[in-house]
Amino acid sequence: ETGVTQTPRHLVMGMTNKKSLKCEQHLGHNAMYWYKQSAKKPLELMFVYNFKEQTENNSVPSRFSPECPNSSHLFLHLHTLQPEDSALYLCASSPSTADLSQPQHFGDGTRLSIL
Amino acid sequence: LAKTTQPISMDSYEGQEVNITCSHNNIATNDYITWYQQFPSQGPRFIIQGYKTKVKNEVASLFIPADRKSSTLSLPRVSLSDTAVYYCLVGTMNSGGYQKVTFGTGTKLQVIP
């Protein structure tokens, strides 16, 4: 139990589908992050939110749309994805984006497969 | 952004001490060094973090020399369940004022019976 819960754990979708990934943290943190981990590649940072405000979009295609309604919840809305988007999507949180002494806490991810 | 370099893989027998060294030559004054462990199909798990000298917790020790250009994660008496990928990261503040960490490819540790 990491305090960061992601649902669903597995998702298979077609390229024309619309789905959403959900992340919830129970740690009282104010910063939340989305990462993508493809096979045999390092984790890639996608989005950063601090106090519900998006502070980073790391050149992510518009078919990925994040939403952060409050500091505890983070969504990633998916639309018309491509096969190369198949990956493990990880959510993380930290007390603040500005405190380097506080590490990020990760969920166990959503394994996404695009048919 | 400080780039990290660590061995791609290591093998160790059960019960041995394992030391994984990471190079971060461009580390900045305010940067912290953090190590994570990741099992297949799980998110990375925080192991230990340090700024300088030595840090120790219930699972690992972290040695950082005075120049901070490298760090060594020490795992005492590893078991089969320690087989995982270990990432060394340097967290730094980007121009937007937030913590940014860059994951490398990590070190895949295989513990052998």
Side-chain angles (χ1 to χ4, degrees), chain A residues 16-101:
Chain A
T16 58
N17 292 156
K18 289 184 181 181
K19 297 286 185 182
S20 296
L21 310 184
K22 179 182 177 182
C23 175
E24 182 175 2
Q25 57 96 0
H26 314 278
L27 302 169
H29 291 168
N30 296 307
M32 296 188 79
Y33 311 77
W34 278 118
Y35 288 85
K36 175 185 178 183
Q37 187 173 32
S38 303
K40 302 186 186 303
K41 287 186 179 180
L43 275 77
E44 304 170 53
L45 178 66
M46 300 174 72
F47 301 104
V48 179
Y49 278 83
N50 193 37
F51 290 94
K52 303 188 296 180
E53 298 296 321
Q54 185 179 132
T55 58
E56 173 77 359
N57 177 337
N58 201 21
S59 302
V60 180
S62 59
R63 57 185 182 269
F64 295 91
S65 175
E67 178 190 1
C68 189
N70 54 62
S71 292
S72 298
H73 293 87
L74 185 65
F75 295 90
L76 187 63
H77 303 300
L78 314 172
H79 177 49
T80 59
L81 296 192
Q82 303 299 309
E84 61 266 27
D85 297 323
S86 296
L88 181 68
Y89 288 85
L90 291 158
C91 172
S93 71
S94 68
S96 164
T97 59
D99 189 348
L100 294 180
S101 69

Side-chain angles (χ1 to χ4, degrees), chain B residues 41-103:
Chain B
S41 298
Q42 291 187 20
R45 294 286 180 269
F46 170 77
I47 300 175
I48 198 166
Q49 182 183 61
Y51 183 77
K52 62 179 180 181
T53 64
K54 177 182 175 181
V55 180
K56 185 177 180 180
N57 61 24
E58 63 276 9
V59 298
S61 296
L62 180 60
F63 300 91
I64 305 169
D67 65 6
R68 304 203 323 126
K69 293 184 182 299
S70 66
S71 60
T72 299
L73 174 72
S74 181
L75 304 172
R77 297 182 297 281
V78 295
S79 63
L80 295 176
S81 62
D82 293 317
T83 294
V85 178
Y86 292 82
Y87 294 97
C88 161
L89 296 93
V90 173
T92 193
M93 198 71 73
N94 82 337
S95 58
Y98 70 88
Q99 178 191 145
K100 186 167 185 176
V101 295
T102 301
F103 282 80

Side-chain angles (χ1 to χ4, degrees), chain B residues 24-38:
Chain B
H24 27 80
N25 292 318
N26 297 322
I27 191 168
T29 303
N30 295 328
D31 292 348
Y32 280 77
I33 301 155
T34 309
W35 285 80
Y36 287 87
Q37 174 193 57
Q38 186 177 26

